[in-house]
Amino acid sequence: MTAFTQADLVGYIRRAAGEDDGLDLDGDIAEITFADLGYDSISMVELTLLVERELGISLPEARTGKTATPKEFVETVNELLPASS
C-alpha cells in the first residue's frame, strides 16, 4: 500500500463498526471526531484492531481513539506504514 486514504478508512469503518443511516461517511468528515460521528470506544477498538491486523502495524491509542478525527487516524496510519519501494 503506497498511502492510506480517507476512502480506505471509510471502508474499514464500514466493515468494523457499520454506518448510521443518518451519517454520510463519504462527506466531509476529516475534522469531525469519531465520537461526534457516533462511534464509541468499542467501535474504535474494533476499527483499530482491524486496521492493525490487515496492515501489520500497531496504532497508538492516543491518536486513534474516539476523540481523534479521521484526518488524524489517516495521518497516523501513513506515518506507520512501511515505505514502498
Side-chain angles (χ1 to χ4, degrees):
M1 175 173 275
T2 56
F4 188 79
T5 66
Q6 183 172 309
D8 295 324
L9 174 60
V10 167
Y12 280 100
I13 290 171
R14 287 183 173 132
R15 288 175 47 209
E19 181 175 5
D20 186 301
D21 290 336
L23 178 65
D24 179 15
L25 288 177
D26 295 317
D28 187 15
I29 62 167
E31 298 291 339
I32 303 170
T33 66
F34 285 105
D36 288 341
L37 289 170
Y39 295 98
D40 61 12
S41 298
I42 293 171
S43 298
M44 293 310 299
V45 167
E46 291 173 356
L47 171 63
T48 300
L49 290 174
L50 179 63
V51 171
E52 288 178 333
R53 183 174 55 247
E54 292 198 359
L55 299 182
I57 59 176
S58 181
L59 295 164
E61 185 179 343
R63 295 200 49 203
T64 58
K66 66 181 187 173
T67 59
T69 65
K71 179 181 177 185
E72 292 168 336
F73 196 104
V74 168
E75 288 171 350
T76 300
V77 170
N78 281 316
E79 289 170 8
L80 297 170
L81 282 176
S84 61
S85 311

